[in-house]
Every structure is written in structure tokens, then in C-alpha cells.
């Protein structure tokens, strides 16, 4: 799946997650810590884009890994560990959104996707796009983050969000249309 390795350097060899998972299942906290170090950035980026709040994203990321540690024995390896963690993270964000109903205030760019040095024009474009994403209705934003940014297929995103695939497609279409309108002005 594209999301498990998205953004990875093709020349960089990732650790054998299967061995780490098996060790962690056996109670090896250092193996789980290594998994955390390899996956936390992507989980945080997903949470941040869905919540738009650094503190909430940190909380969701922390809860994701706490739940992952507790439920690691239930991980069957039918998907990549990153996909499994994203599923837990999405559930955490959705729970938070349902419970709190908070408005998104801002979004910081994170991860290796952001160039180290940017011109003033690039910074403005990034802020415009991020700001436009934040102004999307919650459902459209969640689908756009999963499909448009993280590369999940409609069926996967729909399953994560508890939607019908057709609803997911409609929300993505709506998000793209709204973004196009907002960025054109």
C-alpha cells in the first residue's frame, strides 16, 4: 500500500517491522519504541491535518500509540503496521471530533514533505492551501486528508470513517470543488 511507504527515501532500508512487531508482542518495549520512532511522524501528520490543532494532534498521536501497545496482540499482519496505526489514529480523531466539536484554529506544516528553505511565494501558497483545507467542512476535510493527501483508496477511507464508498467519493469531490473555488479567489 502506498501509505505505508509514502514519503520514504527509496534508498533507505526500513527496519523489518515484522520482527519488531513480534518482539513487541512478546513485551519488548524497546521494539515498540523503535516502531514508534518509525511511525509517529506520519501518524502525527495525519492527526494534525484532520484536527488542525497541534495539541489535539499530539494527544491523538499519544492515544494512538497507547491503544496500539494495548492491542498489539490483536494485530494480525494482514495490513502494514502503518495502515493499522492510521486506522487507530483516525478513530481517535473522529472520537475527539464527535466529543468536542471544536473548531479548527490553525495548521502547522510538518514532516519531510516541507522543503527546508522556501521562498516567500512558496510559504504563501502552502499557507493558502493549508488554510483552505482547514476551512473545509469536517467530513469533506477528513476524506480529503485520507484520500487526497495520504493516498488511501475510497474503500479504505470509507471504512476508516464509517462511510459508504459512494459517500466518500462524493465528499472528496465536494472537497476538491470547494478547494478549487477557495484557491481561485
Amino acid at each position: 500500500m502506498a501509505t505505508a511507504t509514502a514519503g520514504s527515501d527509496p534508498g533507505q532500508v526500513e527496519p523489518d517491522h515484522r520482527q519488531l512487531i513480534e518482539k513487541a508482542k512478546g513485551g519488548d518495549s524497546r521494539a515498540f519504541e523503535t516502531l514508534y520512532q518509525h511511525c509517529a511522524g506520519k501518524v502525527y501528520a495525519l492527526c494534525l491535518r484532520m484536527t488542525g490543532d497541534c495539541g489535539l494532534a499530539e494527544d491523538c498521536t499519544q492515544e494512538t500509540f497507547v491503544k496500539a501497545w494495548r492491542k498489539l496482540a490483536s494485530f494480525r499482519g494482514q495490513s502494514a503496521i502503518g495502515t493499522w496505526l492510521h486506522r487507530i489514529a483516525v478513530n481517535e480523531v473522529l472520537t475527539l471530533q464527535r466529543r468536542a466539536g471544536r473548531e479548527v484554529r490553525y495548521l502547522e506544516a510538518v514532516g519531510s514533505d516541507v522543503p527546508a528553505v522556501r521562498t516567500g511565494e512558496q510559504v504563501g501558497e502552502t499557507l493558502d492551501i493549508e488554510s483552505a483545507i482547514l476551512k473545509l467542512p469536517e467530513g469533506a476535510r477528513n476524506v480529503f486528508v485520507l484520500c487526497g493527501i495520504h493516498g488511501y483508496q475510497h474503500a479504505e477511507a470509507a471504512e476508516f470513517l464509517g462511510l459508504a464508498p459512494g459517500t466518500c467519493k462524493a465528499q472528496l469531490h465536494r472537497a476538491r470543488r470547494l478547494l478549487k473555488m477557495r484557491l481561485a479567489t
Side-chain angles (χ1 to χ4, degrees):
M1 167 176 290
T3 56
T5 59
S8 296
D9 180 346
Q12 181 182 7
V13 177
E14 293 200 22
D16 184 0
H17 286 171
R18 272 173 272 177
Q19 284 183 334
L20 291 171
I21 292 165
E22 290 308 314
K23 287 180 180 180
K25 281 183 176 183
D28 185 341
S29 60
R30 288 185 190 252
F32 189 77
E33 182 180 346
T34 302
L35 284 171
Y36 171 84
Q37 290 169 352
H38 286 277
C39 301
K42 290 179 184 178
V43 169
Y44 175 75
L46 172 70
C47 294
L48 181 60
R49 284 202 168 100
M50 289 182 75
T51 64
D53 182 291
C54 294
L56 295 176
E58 288 172 3
D59 291 347
C60 288
T61 301
Q62 181 178 359
E63 277 303 308
T64 296
F65 283 95
V66 167
K67 285 188 177 173
W69 175 251
R70 289 181 186 147
K71 296 181 178 190
L72 194 57
S74 70
F75 179 68
R76 297 180 305 237
Q78 294 175 331
S79 64
I81 189 74
T83 303
W84 185 67
L85 290 168
H86 273 193
R87 174 67 186 252
I88 296 170
V90 168
N91 287 336
E92 283 301 310
V93 170
L94 293 177
T95 299
L96 177 82
Q97 288 173 344
R98 282 190 294 267
R99 204 177 327 133
R102 297 179 191 220
E103 281 194 32
V104 179
R105 283 173 245 132
Y106 62 93
L107 180 65
E108 292 181 12
V110 297
S112 59
D113 299 11
V114 180
V117 178
R118 297 182 287 177
T119 66
E121 186 175 308
Q122 290 171 322
V123 170
E125 288 171 1
T126 300
L127 293 176
D128 289 346
I129 292 168
E130 295 290 358
S131 175
I133 292 169
L134 287 173
K135 291 176 184 170
L136 291 172
E138 190 175 276
R141 182 178 65 241
N142 290 343
V143 171
F144 182 78
V145 167
L146 289 173
C147 294
I149 295 175
H150 289 276
Y152 284 99
Q153 300 296 316
H154 292 291
E156 293 172 304
E159 184 181 335
F160 280 6
L161 298 170
L163 302 172
T167 303
C168 185
K169 289 178 185 179
Q171 288 282 19
L172 183 60
H173 176 73
R174 178 181 182 209
R176 287 180 175 157
R177 183 175 41 86
L178 289 171
L179 285 172
K180 185 177 179 180
M181 287 174 17
R182 288 185 177 142
L183 292 173
T185 56

